[in-house]
Amino acid sequence: MEYSVSRSKRKSITIYVKDGKISVRAPLKTDFKVIDNFVASKERWILRKLAESSDRMKRYSDVFEGREFPYFGKRLVPCVTDKKRIWSNDEYLFVPQEFYSNGVFVCSDLFLAAVKKYYMREAKSYLGERLKEIGEHYGFSYSNFSLTNAKSKWGSCDSANRIRLNWRLIMLPKSLCDYVAVHELMHTVEHNHSRNFWKGVATIYPRYKEAISCLKDAGMLINLWR
């Protein structure tokens, strides 16, 4: 079983399985045999996580290969348009003629850059407005909103109550966008994940555990179109 190891000033060994790869984080002076034995002891768990990861990769293969484009929880398929810009409806991502060659759609780096620009523009408008609506409705106050291209987080809120939301949230169902907004807004009053924090989240978004599970399942989308 192949895995990568990174060492740092930590007290315990931790295993991560992501996108079909196994990585281990260990204390600085941990002997390799200790690490190897620890990994061996977790083999059943690792194999289960690898199977789950493989299943997710299969389900998102059309997205990563450019045949489908996730948008508010739906899978849009590319369709040619005579307009000069990218736009979408509930079924199609309309693509200008310039991204077609001999009548065939070409998912090039240039096209993906254009799609990312379109998504970010839509994300800034929708997420910004939704954050404002939820904040005003429940009496939250935040100092600033911006988009982020974070590699591992859907959102964040710093000590100055500046909220950042990952632009890829635009790919997920609106209900999950709302959960992330609620989560970060709650951090403006509870800068931790204490019992009070989760109690506050549950008051506004009772099915938050289900939302967390869905976000984990969609986690590989965070690495899309970097």
Side-chain angles (χ1 to χ4, degrees), residues 9-204:
K9 293 181 179 180
R10 55 185 297 124
K11 295 181 179 180
S12 60
I13 303 173
T14 306
I15 302 174
Y16 295 88
V17 179
K18 185 176 181 181
D19 299 342
K21 298 179 181 180
I22 307 167
S23 60
V24 179
R25 297 177 186 175
L28 289 173
K29 297 183 179 180
T30 307
D31 188 273
F32 179 75
K33 288 184 178 180
V34 173
I35 297 173
D36 206 38
N37 288 337
F38 182 80
V39 172
S41 72
K42 302 296 182 180
E43 182 177 3
R44 182 176 296 181
W45 177 85
I46 293 172
L47 290 175
R48 178 167 58 85
K49 289 297 180 181
L50 285 172
E52 292 174 359
S53 179
S54 177
D55 179 62
R56 283 194 296 271
M57 291 174 75
K58 288 178 182 177
R59 285 189 282 117
Y60 285 109
S61 62
D62 286 338
V63 172
F64 278 87
E65 292 172 14
R67 291 189 292 270
E68 294 179 341
F69 297 84
Y71 190 71
F72 284 127
K74 298 181 179 180
R75 297 284 187 91
L76 307 183
V77 295
C79 180
V80 67
T81 178
D82 56 2
K83 295 183 179 180
K84 299 295 184 181
R85 60 181 177 82
I86 293 174
W87 59 287
S88 64
N89 61 15
D90 288 342
E91 296 182 67
Y92 300 104
L93 182 73
F94 291 96
V95 181
Q97 287 276 5
E98 64 182 287
F99 297 112
Y100 279 75
S101 177
N102 296 321
V104 179
F105 167 64
V106 179
C107 188
S108 63
D109 290 342
L110 187 63
F111 170 71
L112 292 179
V115 174
K116 180 177 177 179
K117 185 176 181 180
Y118 169 69
Y119 271 45
M120 291 187 73
R121 183 170 65 248
E122 294 295 299
K124 185 175 183 179
S125 175
Y126 177 79
L127 297 176
E129 185 60 31
R130 194 68 186 123
L131 188 69
K132 180 180 178 182
E133 290 173 353
I134 296 173
E136 290 180 349
H137 183 78
Y138 291 100
F140 291 106
S141 178
Y142 56 95
S143 60
N144 184 48
F145 159 70
S146 61
L147 297 179
T148 177
N149 193 41
K151 295 181 179 180
S152 61
K153 292 183 178 181
W154 290 109
S156 64
C157 176
D158 64 18
S159 59
N161 291 339
R162 291 176 295 211
I163 292 178
R164 297 176 177 84
L165 299 179
N166 197 308
W167 66 268
R168 293 175 183 81
L169 281 169
I170 203 78
M171 302 178 184
L172 307 182
K174 291 182 178 180
S175 59
L176 294 183
C177 296
D178 281 359
Y179 165 69
V180 176
V182 169
H183 186 111
E184 302 312 331
L185 285 167
M186 189 59 63
H187 276 313
T188 64
V189 293
E190 294 283 346
H191 288 281
N192 50 54
H193 287 115
S194 64
R195 181 177 298 179
N196 284 338
F197 172 85
W198 291 115
K199 184 178 179 180
V201 169
T203 300
I204 301 172

